[in-house]
């Protein structure tokens, strides 16, 4: 796992200096070594976190034998050994044990199509000197990030990096705020790709590659999608056959992710997914697995007892950490690492569990992705129930009356509150109600919140899209899902939205900020493809989520863990806003800087704070998103890039 960067420009001196700055800003992603290579047009940079082949032979950027193809690579390709054997059979010779060298030869053999053969998590840049072509690619589901910038108005400069703070270390790249992206952020708590918080900087989408050709007219840039998850046709297999197939594929995915030349362990929440991963690791490993868990003093958010039960079942070397409000002292640092507005508060405990884990191991497996493949979230059941109710004559009027009768609550885990939220939007079409369930601010709430200046800078709404661009984007995800069942379509939307832009961003940033590599067996594309084509009733059976997953691995799960409901990785921020964080919240949202920006109507923000503090309403998500947006401005937008790289970043 590493940090990468590169730049295309004919001005070699400034270009190479910019790449050194990028590496300096991403040192945390690769503290073990650094390297830069350049020619007349391209500079590639790399920060190394040594995982496989710890020798100097594994340093990057790395080239083919004649030095005409160079690569900077972040990630792991788990099937590199079989690919290497195939390439050796085709006449290729290798000089290291790294997967990086396999990628170089794979590109030589198969060109851009090589990416379809890789099984793993990756983001890389390959410079083909003979063709004057840059080839960027990102893994199928978006485990590894890749940002790029192209000079506006047909310029001849292009840059890429693993993190936004890497790109922003180049003083040539402007920090111009993209107001439309800010609007999307306040809907979802993240910025959907390809947009970022900045005009001119983009995310390479998951499952896509990009080619840049240096031609006489300038730079020709093209992107292409090479993978998407297909939910059809359904597999016609029995439950027993499905259990056997799933067990085989997930066990292999775990085994492949335990290949490492450095110590490894696992995040353990006590939930179904991480418990299965730990159980499989224990069966594969020849020594006790090291497990790491996070908890809270607030009982409603604390899962430590469930994690301990799994740790005892497998005799793991187990460690725990309790997160308290003073942990928020790390917020400014995390905001800088994210580089764009990001409002998932579970980033805090994720950082702390990564920090604790890194003190003991360099690689950690986790259970990410199990919910999106096996219907683990409550919204999948809700989507299915709502679709059935919508077919009932008179349901819309009935739902409206019931919504008024069912009391709301300030307790986010209250069952009546969940029922109230369900009934309020159950009559809407699938994409619209899903958007309402997962959004921070609804369109009408944003209209009341935004000041005149911000409203004037957003794209105008149309009669076709009266709720605005964020909702139109969500509807498009459902339209291209390629799924016939409501549950499959909702999972597909999550795989295209929440998974790559929230969950995977959180884990990548939190782990790499501590120089820890995170691996996710459930996100193996073969596991995901198998799960997608299973019948829906194998994933959601009645009110039982993850039906087949629980059955296939029942021997690995303590009974109480298998039976309990999903808790989620929540953070008691709402309680903290009424107590130890109230002053910090108000000082941030009502500072003169924040007011001078004129984004929001101060009276609306004040009402949200007062209602929440007085326990008249629960505005946790709204207030947290506003707080993170303000911190992003102060820590990222208004901060200055370094004037020079540190001396330790030297060219190869």
């Amino acid at each position: 796992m590493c940090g990468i960067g590169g730049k295309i420009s004919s001005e070699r001196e400034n270009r190479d200096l910019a790449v050194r700055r990028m590496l300096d800003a991403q040192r945390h992603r690769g503290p073990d070594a650094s390297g830069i290579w350049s020619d007349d047009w391209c500079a590639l940079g790399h920060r190394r976190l040594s995982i496989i082949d710890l020798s100097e032979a594994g340093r990057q950027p790395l080239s083919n034998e004649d030095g005409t193809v160079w690569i900077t690579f972040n990630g792991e390709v788990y099937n590199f050994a079989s690919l290497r054997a195939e390439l050796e059979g085709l006449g290729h010779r290798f000089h290291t044990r790294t997967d990086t060298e396999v990628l170089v030869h794979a590109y030589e053999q198969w060109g851009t199509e090589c990416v379809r053969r890789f099984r793993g998590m990756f983001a890389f840049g390959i410079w083909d000197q003979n063709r004057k072509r840059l080839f960027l690619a990102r893994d199928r589901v978006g485990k590894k990030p890749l940002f790029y910038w192209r000079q506006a108005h047909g310029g001849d400069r292009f840059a890429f990096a693993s993190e936004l703070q890497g790109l922003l270390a180049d003083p040539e790249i402007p920090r111009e705020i993209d107001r439309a992206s800010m609007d999307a952020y306040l809907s979802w708590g993240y910025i959907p790709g390809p947009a970022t918080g900045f005009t001119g900087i983009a995310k390479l989408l998951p499952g896509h590659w990009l080619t840049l050709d240096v031609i006489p007219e300038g730079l020709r840039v093209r992107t292409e999608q090479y993978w998407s998850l297909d939910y059809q046709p359904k597999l016609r297999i029995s439950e027993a056959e499905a259990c056997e197939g799933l067990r085989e594929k997930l066990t292999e995915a775990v085994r492949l992710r335990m290949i490492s030349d450095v110590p490894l362990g696992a995040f353990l929440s006590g939930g179904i997914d991480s418990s299965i991963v730990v159980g499989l690791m224990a069966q594969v490993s020849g020594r006790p697995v090291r497990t790491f868990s996070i908890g809270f003093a607030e009982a409603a958010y604390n899962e430590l007892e469930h994690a301990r039960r799994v740790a005892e079942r497998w005799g793991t070397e187990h460690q725990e950490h309790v997160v308290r409000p003073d942990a928020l002292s790390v917020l400014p640092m995390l905001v800088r690492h994210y580089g764009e507005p990001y409002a998932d508060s579970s980033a805090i405990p994720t950082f702390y569990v990564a920090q604790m884990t890194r003190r003991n191991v360099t690689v950690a497996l986790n259970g990410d992705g199990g919910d999106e493949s096996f219907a683990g979230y409550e919204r999948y059941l809700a989507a299915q129930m709502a679709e059935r109710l919508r077919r009932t004559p008179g349901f819309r009027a009935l739902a409206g009356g019931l919504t008024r009768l069912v009391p709301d609550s300030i307790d986010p885990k209250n069952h009546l509150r969940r029922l109230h939220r369900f009934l309020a939007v159950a009559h809407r079409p699938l994409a619209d109600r899903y958007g309402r369930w997962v959004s921070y601010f609804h369109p009408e709430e944003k209209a009341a919140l935004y000041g005149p200046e911000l409203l004037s800078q957003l794209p105008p709404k149309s009669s076709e899209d009266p709720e605005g661009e964020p909702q139109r984007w969500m509807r498009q995800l459902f339209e291209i899902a390629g799924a016939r069942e409501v549950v499959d379509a909702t999972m597909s939307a999550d795989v295209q939205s929440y998974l790559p832009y929230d969950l995977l961003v959180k884990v990548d940033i939190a782990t790499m900020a501590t120089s820890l590599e995170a691996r996710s067996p459930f996100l193996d594309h073969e596991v995901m493809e198998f799960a997608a084509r299973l019948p829906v009733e194998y994933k959601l059976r009645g009110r039982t989520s993850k039906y087949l997953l629980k059955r296939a691995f029942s021997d690995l799960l303590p009974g109480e863990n298998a039976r309990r409901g999903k808790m989620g990785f929540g953070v008691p921020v709402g309680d903290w806003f009424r107590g130890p964080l109230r002053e910090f919240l108000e000082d941030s949202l009502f500072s003169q800087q924040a007011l001078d920006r004129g984004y929001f109507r101060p009276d609306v923000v004040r009402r949200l704070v007062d209602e929440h503090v007085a326990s008249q309403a629960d505005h946790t998500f709204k207030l947290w998103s506003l707080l993170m947006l303000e911190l992003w401005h102060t820590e990222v937008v208004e901060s200055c890039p370094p004037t020079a790289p540190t001396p330790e970043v030297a060219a190869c």
Side-chain angles (χ1 to χ4, degrees), residues 125 346 443 596:
S346 65
D596 288 345

Side-chain angles (χ1 to χ4, degrees), residues 76-79 118-122 139-140 257 523 525:
E76 305 286 351
V77 172
Y78 301 114
N79 63 332
F118 301 152
R119 184 176 184 179
M121 54 180 181
F122 51 83
D139 65 68
R140 292 168 177 82
R257 283 158 181 79
L523 293 177
H525 76 275

Side-chain angles (χ1 to χ4, degrees), residues 268-271 274-275 291-313 316 318-322 558-562 564-565 567:
L268 177 59
S269 69
S274 66
S275 298
T291 54
F292 306 90
S293 301
I294 283 289
F296 298 92
E298 294 81 358
Y301 294 84
N302 192 34
E303 292 188 281
L304 286 179
E305 65 173 299
H306 306 296
R308 289 182 202 128
R309 195 179 299 116
V310 176
E312 291 169 2
R313 163 75 171 80
T316 71
H318 188 60
Q319 294 187 40
E320 299 174 350
H321 177 78
V322 175
E560 190 170 343
N561 290 59
R564 76 184 185 92
M567 181 178 289

Side-chain angles (χ1 to χ4, degrees), residues 345-366:
S345 59
S346 65
I348 298 166
T350 304
F351 170 78
Y352 276 100
V353 73
Q355 186 182 62
M356 174 178 60
T357 302
R358 184 61 178 91
R359 296 190 187 108
N360 299 270
V361 300
T362 311
V363 176
L365 276 65
N366 60 45

Side-chain angles (χ1 to χ4, degrees), residues 95-340:
H95 303 282
T96 74
R97 296 189 298 109
T98 66
D99 52 354
T100 308
E101 190 178 10
V102 172
L103 268 65
V104 173
H105 288 279
Y107 172 79
E108 284 188 291
Q109 184 66 38
W110 299 301
T112 56
E113 291 293 318
C114 67
V115 72
R116 301 183 193 274
R117 295 172 174 261
F118 301 152
R119 184 176 184 179
M121 54 180 181
F122 51 83
F124 61 79
I126 290 178
W127 176 247
D128 187 330
Q129 281 189 296
N130 291 335
R131 302 181 67 178
K132 284 190 171 57
R133 165 173 284 190
L134 178 69
F135 174 45
L136 304 181
R138 193 173 175 205
D139 65 68
R140 292 168 177 82
V141 295
K143 275 280 293 175
K144 293 293 99 188
L146 194 58
F147 298 88
Y148 65 92
W149 166 80
R150 183 179 183 181
Q151 187 178 28
H153 310 301
D156 67 350
R157 292 170 175 79
F158 179 97
F160 67 92
S162 293
E163 293 184 9
L164 274 170
Q165 64 179 333
L167 281 180
L168 295 176
D170 181 352
E172 188 175 29
I173 298 178
R175 303 187 183 199
E176 181 181 344
I177 297 173
D178 180 357
R179 299 298 194 275
S181 295
M182 200 168 76
D183 181 48
Y185 160 77
L186 288 168
S187 285
W188 315 121
Y190 56 77
I191 296 177
T196 66
F198 298 97
T199 300
I201 301 178
K203 304 178 181 87
L204 182 61
L205 295 179
H208 282 65
W209 69 54
L210 177 151
T211 56
L212 178 154
D213 293 288
V214 179
I215 58 177
E217 295 78 17
L219 305 180
R220 183 177 62 202
V221 178
R222 298 174 178 173
T223 59
E224 182 176 338
Q225 183 175 13
Y226 69 86
W227 183 85
S228 62
L229 194 56
D230 193 351
Y231 292 80
Q232 300 291 337
K234 290 299 182 186
L235 297 171
R236 296 186 177 184
I237 56 178
S238 67
E239 284 188 19
E241 291 170 328
C243 285
E244 182 180 355
L246 174 58
R247 183 116 187 186
E248 179 182 332
K249 287 187 176 296
L250 190 58
T251 301
E252 181 187 24
V254 169
R255 179 183 58 78
L256 287 172
R257 283 158 181 79
M258 293 184 71
I259 299 173
S260 173
D261 291 337
V262 294
L264 56 81
F267 295 162
L268 177 59
S269 69
I272 298 296
D273 307 328
S274 66
S275 298
I276 289 173
V277 169
V278 168
L280 290 174
M281 290 177 70
Q283 292 186 333
V284 172
S285 177
R287 53 156 295 164
V289 178
R290 299 179 181 181
T291 54
F292 306 90
S293 301
I294 283 289
F296 298 92
E298 294 81 358
Y301 294 84
N302 192 34
E303 292 188 281
L304 286 179
E305 65 173 299
H306 306 296
R308 289 182 202 128
R309 195 179 299 116
V310 176
E312 291 169 2
R313 163 75 171 80
W314 297 107
T316 71
E317 297 177 5
H318 188 60
Q319 294 187 40
E320 299 174 350
H321 177 78
V322 175
V323 178
R324 303 187 186 278
D326 60 1
L328 298 188
S329 60
V330 304
L331 269 183
M333 177 271 295
L334 284 178
V335 169
R336 291 192 294 273
H337 278 286
Y338 283 98
E340 63 181 352

Side-chain angles (χ1 to χ4, degrees), residues 583-608:
E583 183 178 356
F584 176 65
L585 174 70
E586 294 194 342
D587 288 348
S588 299
L589 297 188
F590 299 107
S591 69
Q592 195 59 51
Q593 278 182 304
L595 295 174
D596 288 345
R597 289 191 189 97
Y599 290 158
F600 311 122
R601 292 176 52 190
D603 60 316
V604 176
V605 179
R606 171 51 66 187
R607 176 180 58 79
L608 292 174

